[in-house]
Amino acid sequence: MSPSPHIAAAPMMDCTDRHCRYLYRLMSRHIVLYSEMITAQAILHGDLEKLLGYNTGENPLILQVGGSDPEKMAKAVKLAEPFGYDGYNINVGCPSPRVSSGRFGACLMYEPTTVAACVTAMRGATDKPVTVKTRLGVDDQDSDEHLYAFINTVAAAGCDTFILHARKAWLKGLNPKQNRTIPPLQYERVHRLKQAFPNLHIIINGGLATLPAIAEQLQYCDGVMIGRALYDRPFLAAELEQAFWQTPLPDRHDVARQYCDYVANMQQQGCSLPLMLKHAHGLFAGLPGAKAWRTLLSEDARRLPAGAWLESVENFLCT
């Protein structure tokens, strides 16, 4: 295996918030983390600390921005710069109707010159990398010809890293969940893209859930991004760290203790307990006691006082 592969945790709406990323960092120092998508409009008009703040030690961390107005995208980057992100990513892959109605996400594959203009404007606002996450195509515009034309146009604006979700997107007829499973995965198209653009960094995403599958993709692409599998089984972060960086595997129970202590502290600061705990539901996935752990994080966390709940967590972890 490569001694220094590019392995990333995919940006996922309502999932990869600062609490989820804290959990990942308890298990991996090297995986590149991404924020949830935050719209440029929200950054321009919202609470910056709430939207952009994160925990010390999360880096390397990329901010994913949604939008199609180059001026607003550049202003959003300027506002984010003091927070210390390691780069910025443009969402050109989300097929949600709500996202499309705002003229960002996968619908922008129809507008490569708009994406290129956003890249140019954002690069003018930062010296950090500006990258693009996209699909193989949208609707009936999904040939290699269309894809390569899109990549050519955006790369000419100075984007040298593309993250390819190895499926097309249907903007009409499929909901976001269906768009993650129904359009078939086409890894070979991403491999051909890398061959056609050897000077670009091509990162593959979609359906990759096991160490062998991830290692295989690194033979063809410059990196791998993992989404649902990592979220559903967060201890995969530790397994990736061990496999690719030879870091000793942490004790899963210690990870659970550290995260629950963190959650208890953040709850005192006003953070939502259920929203923080949902990220750890899969920490014991596939192991005896997994169901009891999920119950502890959902039903018991709601009905027990904080001290009693932490005691229940410790009792579970000691059994």
Side-chain angles (χ1 to χ4, degrees), residues 137-161:
V138 288
D139 301 327
D140 294 323
Q141 188 172 298
D142 68 336
S143 67
D144 280 356
E145 180 181 3
H146 285 116
L147 178 61
Y148 292 11
F150 175 87
I151 297 294
N152 260 321
T153 299
V154 179
C159 177
D160 66 0
T161 300

Side-chain angles (χ1 to χ4, degrees), residues 11-29:
M12 297 171 61
M13 291 293 293
D14 301 321
C15 292
T16 54
D17 60 18
R18 64 191 300 176
H19 311 299
C20 175
R21 300 190 306 260
Y22 183 89
L23 176 60
Y24 288 165
R25 273 289 174 255
L26 289 176
M27 297 174 283
S28 173
R29 284 299 320 139

Side-chain angles (χ1 to χ4, degrees), residues 247-302:
T247 305
L249 204 63
D251 182 272
R252 197 183 309 243
H253 292 71
D254 288 342
V255 171
R257 287 188 182 93
Q258 292 176 68
Y259 187 65
C260 287
D261 286 343
Y262 163 83
V263 165
N265 180 58
M266 295 303 291
Q267 186 185 21
Q268 293 179 357
Q269 299 180 37
C271 295
S272 166
L273 183 63
L275 289 180
M276 290 186 287
L277 289 178
K278 73 174 186 175
H279 305 313
H281 278 201
L283 193 56
F284 290 88
L287 298 179
K291 183 177 180 180
W293 171 253
R294 292 193 302 272
T295 299
L296 187 61
L297 298 191
S298 52
E299 299 173 17
D300 293 354
R302 283 195 297 267

Side-chain angles (χ1 to χ4, degrees), residues 1-9 27-32 204 208-226 230 233 235-250:
M1 294 180 181
S2 168
S4 186
H6 183 103
I7 307 291
M27 297 174 283
S28 173
R29 284 299 320 139
H30 294 92
I31 291 175
V32 180
I204 193 167
L208 298 166
T210 67
L211 296 177
I214 292 163
E216 180 183 4
Q217 291 302 320
L218 289 171
Q219 299 176 38
Y220 304 101
C221 301
D222 300 298
V224 172
M225 177 176 276
I226 309 146
L230 186 58
R233 296 185 293 110
F235 200 71
L236 177 60
E239 295 167 351
L240 289 163
E241 182 79 11
Q242 180 190 50
F244 292 102
W245 291 280
Q246 293 75 55
T247 305
L249 204 63

Side-chain angles (χ1 to χ4, degrees), residues 121-199:
M122 293 167 73
R123 291 183 71 231
T126 181
D127 59 0
K128 311 283 180 56
V130 176
T131 64
V132 168
K133 186 174 189 295
T134 188
R135 292 266 185 151
L136 297 179
V138 288
D139 301 327
D140 294 323
Q141 188 172 298
D142 68 336
S143 67
D144 280 356
E145 180 181 3
H146 285 116
L147 178 61
Y148 292 11
F150 175 87
I151 297 294
N152 260 321
T153 299
V154 179
C159 177
D160 66 0
T161 300
F162 292 84
I163 302 158
L164 274 297
H165 186 155
R167 307 178 195 267
K168 65 178 292 184
W170 285 105
L171 300 184
K172 295 181 180 180
L174 296 181
N175 62 38
K177 182 177 180 180
Q178 291 170 324
N179 262 299
R180 292 198 300 267
T181 57
I182 292 178
L185 286 161
Q186 297 179 295
Y187 296 142
E188 70 284 353
R189 289 189 61 194
V190 182
H191 303 165
R192 290 201 303 269
L193 179 71
K194 174 58 185 177
Q195 292 173 351
F197 296 91
N199 294 326

